[in-house]
Amino acid sequence: VSVPVSVVLERKGAEVITVEADALVAAAVAALSQHGIGALVVTAADGGVRGIISERDVVRCLAEHGSTSLTDPVSRHMTTDVVTCGLDSTTDDLMSIMTERRIRHVPVVDAGALAGIVSIGDVVKSRLDSLEVETQALQQYVTGSS
Ligand code: AMP
């Protein structure tokens, strides 16, 4: 049932919405809302991964510092110690990582470059799709139909 991250990305696409570290938190909030996503990868000028800022970081900075934090740079509120995975990691690996680290987004890095992002929603969808295929195969086996 577990599939490689490369397959997940083939199905959902490799696009990653990013934000620069010196952009304002308000711009990050706008991007999260516009794209209907929960986290943005923060990139350096060379395109490398510098951090990640999720809706949870925004809620925390608003709760702790109020709305003035909307004009802070993203770099002040992002997480810099980013957990990433490779293309040959599996959905099972990601479920463990997401559960243990309490994160819902894992950027995919291949040969030092950002190659995609997998969210907890992508993992759940992939899991359900595989279960459906497995169930159909078992039904066919039991009923003898093909
Ligand atoms: P999330 O559950 O993904 O919304 O994120 C919860 C917290 O973990 C936030 O503080 C994020 O900045 C942080 N976070 C999210 N994804 C990652 C990641 N891949 N590596 C490190 N921290 C992360």
Side-chain angles (χ1 to χ4, degrees), residues 19-29 40 42-43 50-54 57-58 60-62 65-80:
V19 65
E20 284 182 18
D22 56 2
L24 302 185
V25 171
V29 169
L40 301 166
V42 186
T43 46
R50 253 186 84 174
I52 188 161
I53 184 161
S54 90
D57 299 311
V58 176
R60 188 187 302 129
C61 81
L62 287 173
H65 311 285
S67 60
T68 55
S69 52
L70 288 171
T71 52
D72 287 345
V74 161
S75 56
R76 197 169 298 167
H77 302 286
M78 68 187 186
T79 302
T80 51

mmCIF file of all heavy atoms in Angstrom, residues 19-29 40 42-43 50-54 57-58 60-62 65-80:
data_model
loop_
_atom_site.group_PDB
_atom_site.id
_atom_site.type_symbol
_atom_site.label_atom_id
_atom_site.label_comp_id
_atom_site.label_asym_id
_atom_site.label_seq_id
_atom_site.Cartn_x
_atom_site.Cartn_y
_atom_site.Cartn_z
ATOM 1 N N VAL A 19 7.964 31.261 -0.949
ATOM 2 C CA VAL A 19 7.986 32.668 -0.584
ATOM 3 C C VAL A 19 9.429 32.992 -0.216
ATOM 4 O O VAL A 19 10.166 32.103 0.242
ATOM 5 C CB VAL A 19 7.010 32.938 0.593
ATOM 6 C CG1 VAL A 19 7.429 32.233 1.874
ATOM 7 C CG2 VAL A 19 6.808 34.421 0.846
ATOM 8 N N GLU A 20 9.851 34.237 -0.461
ATOM 9 C CA GLU A 20 11.222 34.591 -0.093
ATOM 10 C C GLU A 20 11.277 34.980 1.375
ATOM 11 O O GLU A 20 10.294 35.478 1.941
ATOM 12 C CB GLU A 20 11.736 35.708 -0.998
ATOM 13 C CG GLU A 20 12.081 35.150 -2.371
ATOM 14 C CD GLU A 20 12.649 36.183 -3.331
ATOM 15 O OE1 GLU A 20 13.092 37.254 -2.864
ATOM 16 O OE2 GLU A 20 12.620 35.911 -4.533
ATOM 17 N N ALA A 21 12.450 34.779 1.972
ATOM 18 C CA ALA A 21 12.608 34.981 3.417
ATOM 19 C C ALA A 21 12.325 36.426 3.839
ATOM 20 O O ALA A 21 11.878 36.671 4.956
ATOM 21 C CB ALA A 21 14.004 34.566 3.839
ATOM 22 N N ASP A 22 12.577 37.386 2.949
ATOM 23 C CA ASP A 22 12.361 38.784 3.344
ATOM 24 C C ASP A 22 10.990 39.321 2.939
ATOM 25 O O ASP A 22 10.691 40.497 3.145
ATOM 26 C CB ASP A 22 13.503 39.686 2.844
ATOM 27 C CG ASP A 22 13.691 39.598 1.344
ATOM 28 O OD1 ASP A 22 12.902 38.868 0.700
ATOM 29 O OD2 ASP A 22 14.616 40.247 0.824
ATOM 30 N N ALA A 23 10.138 38.447 2.395
ATOM 31 C CA ALA A 23 8.743 38.859 2.133
ATOM 32 C C ALA A 23 8.041 39.049 3.478
ATOM 33 O O ALA A 23 8.484 38.527 4.505
ATOM 34 C CB ALA A 23 8.037 37.767 1.326
ATOM 35 N N LEU A 24 6.955 39.812 3.483
ATOM 36 C CA LEU A 24 6.234 40.054 4.739
ATOM 37 C C LEU A 24 5.300 38.888 5.074
ATOM 38 O O LEU A 24 4.813 38.191 4.169
ATOM 39 C CB LEU A 24 5.406 41.340 4.638
ATOM 40 C CG LEU A 24 6.182 42.623 4.320
ATOM 41 C CD1 LEU A 24 5.248 43.838 4.385
ATOM 42 C CD2 LEU A 24 7.370 42.804 5.279
ATOM 43 N N VAL A 25 5.049 38.708 6.355
ATOM 44 C CA VAL A 25 4.113 37.676 6.795
ATOM 45 C C VAL A 25 2.763 37.875 6.099
ATOM 46 O O VAL A 25 2.111 36.902 5.694
ATOM 47 C CB VAL A 25 3.961 37.694 8.342
ATOM 48 C CG1 VAL A 25 2.819 36.780 8.791
ATOM 49 C CG2 VAL A 25 5.269 37.280 9.013
ATOM 50 N N ALA A 26 2.354 39.138 5.903
ATOM 51 C CA ALA A 26 1.082 39.422 5.219
ATOM 52 C C ALA A 26 1.071 38.818 3.812
ATOM 53 O O ALA A 26 0.031 38.311 3.359
ATOM 54 C CB ALA A 26 0.856 40.936 5.147
ATOM 55 N N ALA A 27 2.212 38.851 3.126
ATOM 56 C CA ALA A 27 2.290 38.281 1.776
ATOM 57 C C ALA A 27 2.178 36.759 1.843
ATOM 58 O O ALA A 27 1.552 36.133 0.974
ATOM 59 C CB ALA A 27 3.597 38.700 1.106
ATOM 60 N N ALA A 28 2.762 36.179 2.889
ATOM 61 C CA ALA A 28 2.672 34.727 3.063
ATOM 62 C C ALA A 28 1.219 34.323 3.328
ATOM 63 O O ALA A 28 0.716 33.345 2.757
ATOM 64 C CB ALA A 28 3.572 34.273 4.212
ATOM 65 N N VAL A 29 0.533 35.103 4.180
ATOM 66 C CA VAL A 29 -0.877 34.831 4.482
ATOM 67 C C VAL A 29 -1.702 34.898 3.194
ATOM 68 O O VAL A 29 -2.546 34.026 2.928
ATOM 69 C CB VAL A 29 -1.415 35.842 5.529
ATOM 70 C CG1 VAL A 29 -2.929 35.759 5.655
ATOM 71 C CG2 VAL A 29 -0.756 35.600 6.884
ATOM 72 N N LEU A 40 4.140 27.211 3.110
ATOM 73 C CA LEU A 40 4.964 27.700 2.005
ATOM 74 C C LEU A 40 6.420 27.356 2.303
ATOM 75 O O LEU A 40 6.872 27.529 3.447
ATOM 76 C CB LEU A 40 4.863 29.227 1.895
ATOM 77 C CG LEU A 40 3.489 29.832 1.659
ATOM 78 C CD1 LEU A 40 3.527 31.335 1.930
ATOM 79 C CD2 LEU A 40 3.029 29.563 0.235
ATOM 80 N N VAL A 42 10.157 28.341 2.198
ATOM 81 C CA VAL A 42 10.880 29.608 2.131
ATOM 82 C C VAL A 42 12.218 29.345 1.434
ATOM 83 O O VAL A 42 12.991 28.486 1.875
ATOM 84 C CB VAL A 42 11.110 30.198 3.536
ATOM 85 C CG1 VAL A 42 11.730 31.582 3.429
ATOM 86 C CG2 VAL A 42 9.788 30.267 4.316
ATOM 87 N N THR A 43 12.431 30.055 0.337
ATOM 88 C CA THR A 43 13.624 29.780 -0.456
ATOM 89 C C THR A 43 14.671 30.878 -0.319
ATOM 90 O O THR A 43 14.360 32.035 -0.046
ATOM 91 C CB THR A 43 13.265 29.639 -1.952
ATOM 92 O OG1 THR A 43 12.400 30.719 -2.313
ATOM 93 C CG2 THR A 43 12.570 28.333 -2.243
ATOM 94 N N ARG A 50 15.328 27.313 2.682
ATOM 95 C CA ARG A 50 15.817 28.030 3.863
ATOM 96 C C ARG A 50 14.918 27.829 5.066
ATOM 97 O O ARG A 50 15.327 28.015 6.205
ATOM 98 C CB ARG A 50 15.876 29.528 3.560
ATOM 99 C CG ARG A 50 17.283 30.022 3.377
ATOM 100 C CD ARG A 50 17.316 31.500 3.216
ATOM 101 N NE ARG A 50 17.308 32.197 4.491
ATOM 102 C CZ ARG A 50 17.449 33.509 4.618
ATOM 103 N NH1 ARG A 50 17.589 34.248 3.530
ATOM 104 N NH2 ARG A 50 17.440 34.082 5.787
ATOM 105 N N GLY A 51 13.674 27.525 4.791
ATOM 106 C CA GLY A 51 12.739 27.342 5.898
ATOM 107 C C GLY A 51 11.383 26.941 5.381
ATOM 108 O O GLY A 51 11.190 26.703 4.183
ATOM 109 N N ILE A 52 10.440 26.865 6.339
ATOM 110 C CA ILE A 52 9.048 26.589 5.966
ATOM 111 C C ILE A 52 8.174 27.409 6.904
ATOM 112 O O ILE A 52 8.514 27.568 8.089
ATOM 113 C CB ILE A 52 8.742 25.068 6.035
ATOM 114 C CG1 ILE A 52 7.363 24.730 5.471
ATOM 115 C CG2 ILE A 52 8.885 24.518 7.455
ATOM 116 C CD1 ILE A 52 7.195 23.269 5.084
ATOM 117 N N ILE A 53 7.112 27.976 6.363
ATOM 118 C CA ILE A 53 6.173 28.717 7.209
ATOM 119 C C ILE A 53 4.783 28.146 6.954
ATOM 120 O O ILE A 53 4.346 28.060 5.797
ATOM 121 C CB ILE A 53 6.256 30.251 6.983
ATOM 122 C CG1 ILE A 53 5.315 30.969 7.968
ATOM 123 C CG2 ILE A 53 5.950 30.651 5.535
ATOM 124 C CD1 ILE A 53 5.639 32.453 8.153
ATOM 125 N N SER A 54 4.144 27.687 8.020
ATOM 126 C CA SER A 54 2.815 27.089 7.854
ATOM 127 C C SER A 54 1.780 27.970 8.545
ATOM 128 O O SER A 54 2.112 28.878 9.308
ATOM 129 C CB SER A 54 2.782 25.659 8.402
ATOM 130 O OG SER A 54 2.427 25.650 9.765
ATOM 131 N N ASP A 57 2.360 28.579 12.133
ATOM 132 C CA ASP A 57 3.321 29.635 12.505
ATOM 133 C C ASP A 57 2.639 30.995 12.498
ATOM 134 O O ASP A 57 2.928 31.852 13.335
ATOM 135 C CB ASP A 57 4.505 29.646 11.527
ATOM 136 C CG ASP A 57 5.254 28.327 11.535
ATOM 137 O OD1 ASP A 57 5.577 27.843 12.634
ATOM 138 O OD2 ASP A 57 5.498 27.783 10.442
ATOM 139 N N VAL A 58 1.744 31.183 11.524
ATOM 140 C CA VAL A 58 1.040 32.468 11.426
ATOM 141 C C VAL A 58 0.114 32.650 12.626
ATOM 142 O O VAL A 58 0.090 33.713 13.249
ATOM 143 C CB VAL A 58 0.240 32.562 10.100
ATOM 144 C CG1 VAL A 58 -0.559 33.855 10.068
ATOM 145 C CG2 VAL A 58 1.164 32.475 8.897
ATOM 146 N N ARG A 60 0.478 31.298 15.523
ATOM 147 C CA ARG A 60 1.318 31.508 16.707
ATOM 148 C C ARG A 60 1.833 32.944 16.776
ATOM 149 O O ARG A 60 1.764 33.592 17.819
ATOM 150 C CB ARG A 60 2.492 30.533 16.697
ATOM 151 C CG ARG A 60 3.283 30.573 17.999
ATOM 152 C CD ARG A 60 4.553 29.726 17.926
ATOM 153 N NE ARG A 60 4.278 28.334 17.620
ATOM 154 C CZ ARG A 60 4.870 27.636 16.665
ATOM 155 N NH1 ARG A 60 5.780 28.202 15.885
ATOM 156 N NH2 ARG A 60 4.583 26.367 16.480
ATOM 157 N N CYS A 61 2.298 33.487 15.657
ATOM 158 C CA CYS A 61 2.872 34.842 15.716
ATOM 159 C C CYS A 61 1.774 35.884 15.949
ATOM 160 O O CYS A 61 1.997 36.870 16.655
ATOM 161 C CB CYS A 61 3.797 35.162 14.543
ATOM 162 S SG CYS A 61 3.038 35.646 13.013
ATOM 163 N N LEU A 62 0.571 35.625 15.418
ATOM 164 C CA LEU A 62 -0.535 36.560 15.690
ATOM 165 C C LEU A 62 -0.942 36.492 17.162
ATOM 166 O O LEU A 62 -1.196 37.520 17.797
ATOM 167 C CB LEU A 62 -1.732 36.240 14.798
ATOM 168 C CG LEU A 62 -1.588 36.611 13.321
ATOM 169 C CD1 LEU A 62 -2.770 36.093 12.516
ATOM 170 C CD2 LEU A 62 -1.445 38.114 13.136
ATOM 171 N N HIS A 65 2.259 38.059 19.165
ATOM 172 C CA HIS A 65 2.693 39.438 18.896
ATOM 173 C C HIS A 65 1.611 40.341 18.325
ATOM 174 O O HIS A 65 1.860 41.519 18.094
ATOM 175 C CB HIS A 65 3.899 39.436 17.938
ATOM 176 C CG HIS A 65 4.989 38.494 18.342
ATOM 177 N ND1 HIS A 65 5.843 38.750 19.389
ATOM 178 C CD2 HIS A 65 5.344 37.289 17.843
ATOM 179 C CE1 HIS A 65 6.687 37.726 19.518
ATOM 180 N NE2 HIS A 65 6.405 36.829 18.596
ATOM 181 N N GLY A 66 0.449 39.779 18.042
ATOM 182 C CA GLY A 66 -0.622 40.604 17.502
ATOM 183 C C GLY A 66 -0.445 40.901 16.025
ATOM 184 O O GLY A 66 0.494 40.419 15.377
ATOM 185 N N SER A 67 -1.346 41.731 15.502
ATOM 186 C CA SER A 67 -1.382 41.939 14.053
ATOM 187 C C SER A 67 -0.190 42.723 13.522
ATOM 188 O O SER A 67 0.045 42.746 12.314
ATOM 189 C CB SER A 67 -2.689 42.626 13.663
ATOM 190 O OG SER A 67 -2.780 43.864 14.319
ATOM 191 N N THR A 68 0.614 43.361 14.415
ATOM 192 C CA THR A 68 1.809 44.067 13.909
ATOM 193 C C THR A 68 2.785 43.075 13.283
ATOM 194 O O THR A 68 3.599 43.453 12.438
ATOM 195 C CB THR A 68 2.526 44.847 15.029
ATOM 196 O OG1 THR A 68 2.834 43.931 16.085
ATOM 197 C CG2 THR A 68 1.689 45.990 15.566
ATOM 198 N N SER A 69 2.688 41.798 13.672
ATOM 199 C CA SER A 69 3.617 40.807 13.112
ATOM 200 C C SER A 69 3.357 40.562 11.629
ATOM 201 O O SER A 69 4.181 39.965 10.937
ATOM 202 C CB SER A 69 3.564 39.502 13.897
ATOM 203 O OG SER A 69 2.238 39.059 14.008
ATOM 204 N N LEU A 70 2.221 41.038 11.118
ATOM 205 C CA LEU A 70 1.947 40.874 9.684
ATOM 206 C C LEU A 70 2.960 41.627 8.828
ATOM 207 O O LEU A 70 3.177 41.287 7.661
ATOM 208 C CB LEU A 70 0.521 41.354 9.358
ATOM 209 C CG LEU A 70 -0.605 40.448 9.868
ATOM 210 C CD1 LEU A 70 -1.959 41.124 9.701
ATOM 211 C CD2 LEU A 70 -0.590 39.103 9.132
ATOM 212 N N THR A 71 3.590 42.655 9.419
ATOM 213 C CA THR A 71 4.609 43.399 8.660
ATOM 214 C C THR A 71 6.032 42.950 9.018
ATOM 215 O O THR A 71 7.002 43.592 8.631
ATOM 216 C CB THR A 71 4.455 44.925 8.860
ATOM 217 O OG1 THR A 71 4.407 45.198 10.264
ATOM 218 C CG2 THR A 71 3.179 45.439 8.215
ATOM 219 N N ASP A 72 6.147 41.856 9.758
ATOM 220 C CA ASP A 72 7.475 41.254 9.996
ATOM 221 C C ASP A 72 7.892 40.470 8.761
ATOM 222 O O ASP A 72 7.028 39.981 8.020
ATOM 223 C CB ASP A 72 7.403 40.246 11.153
ATOM 224 C CG ASP A 72 7.260 40.897 12.522
ATOM 225 O OD1 ASP A 72 7.493 42.113 12.616
ATOM 226 O OD2 ASP A 72 6.899 40.166 13.468
ATOM 227 N N PRO A 73 9.202 40.283 8.581
ATOM 228 C CA PRO A 73 9.623 39.385 7.491
ATOM 229 C C PRO A 73 9.303 37.933 7.853
ATOM 230 O O PRO A 73 9.305 37.569 9.036
ATOM 231 C CB PRO A 73 11.134 39.602 7.401
ATOM 232 C CG PRO A 73 11.532 40.157 8.727
ATOM 233 C CD PRO A 73 10.340 40.894 9.269
ATOM 234 N N VAL A 74 9.026 37.139 6.833
ATOM 235 C CA VAL A 74 8.744 35.714 7.007
ATOM 236 C C VAL A 74 9.860 35.027 7.799
ATOM 237 O O VAL A 74 9.608 34.161 8.638
ATOM 238 C CB VAL A 74 8.570 35.057 5.609
ATOM 239 C CG1 VAL A 74 8.734 33.555 5.670
ATOM 240 C CG2 VAL A 74 7.213 35.438 5.020
ATOM 241 N N SER A 75 11.105 35.459 7.572
ATOM 242 C CA SER A 75 12.258 34.819 8.226
ATOM 243 C C SER A 75 12.152 34.835 9.746
ATOM 244 O O SER A 75 12.701 33.965 10.411
ATOM 245 C CB SER A 75 13.556 35.502 7.792
ATOM 246 O OG SER A 75 13.474 36.880 8.073
ATOM 247 N N ARG A 76 11.421 35.803 10.309
ATOM 248 C CA ARG A 76 11.314 35.906 11.767
ATOM 249 C C ARG A 76 10.406 34.818 12.355
ATOM 250 O O ARG A 76 10.517 34.508 13.534
ATOM 251 C CB ARG A 76 10.789 37.299 12.144
ATOM 252 C CG ARG A 76 11.035 37.646 13.602
ATOM 253 C CD ARG A 76 10.763 39.094 13.908
ATOM 254 N NE ARG A 76 11.628 39.999 13.161
ATOM 255 C CZ ARG A 76 11.432 41.320 13.062
ATOM 256 N NH1 ARG A 76 10.393 41.880 13.658
ATOM 257 N NH2 ARG A 76 12.265 42.073 12.369
ATOM 258 N N HIS A 77 9.524 34.271 11.563
ATOM 259 C CA HIS A 77 8.538 33.335 12.106
ATOM 260 C C HIS A 77 8.571 31.947 11.460
ATOM 261 O O HIS A 77 7.803 31.067 11.842
ATOM 262 C CB HIS A 77 7.128 33.937 11.984
ATOM 263 C CG HIS A 77 7.001 35.251 12.690
ATOM 264 N ND1 HIS A 77 6.929 35.344 14.062
ATOM 265 C CD2 HIS A 77 7.009 36.531 12.225
ATOM 266 C CE1 HIS A 77 6.858 36.618 14.418
ATOM 267 N NE2 HIS A 77 6.911 37.356 13.321
ATOM 268 N N MET A 78 9.466 31.742 10.499
ATOM 269 C CA MET A 78 9.533 30.432 9.828
ATOM 270 C C MET A 78 10.295 29.425 10.692
ATOM 271 O O MET A 78 10.995 29.808 11.636
ATOM 272 C CB MET A 78 10.233 30.577 8.469
ATOM 273 C CG MET A 78 11.714 30.914 8.578
ATOM 274 S SD MET A 78 12.419 31.275 6.950
ATOM 275 C CE MET A 78 14.166 31.449 7.397
ATOM 276 N N THR A 79 10.161 28.159 10.358
ATOM 277 C CA THR A 79 10.984 27.106 10.968
ATOM 278 C C THR A 79 12.181 26.899 10.042
ATOM 279 O O THR A 79 12.005 26.728 8.827
ATOM 280 C CB THR A 79 10.168 25.792 11.083
ATOM 281 O OG1 THR A 79 8.996 26.052 11.855
ATOM 282 C CG2 THR A 79 10.988 24.699 11.739
ATOM 283 N N THR A 80 13.401 26.948 10.626
ATOM 284 C CA THR A 80 14.590 26.850 9.766
ATOM 285 C C THR A 80 15.132 25.423 9.671
ATOM 286 O O THR A 80 15.824 25.076 8.715
ATOM 287 C CB THR A 80 15.722 27.772 10.279
ATOM 288 O OG1 THR A 80 15.907 27.507 11.666
ATOM 289 C CG2 THR A 80 15.364 29.232 10.073
#
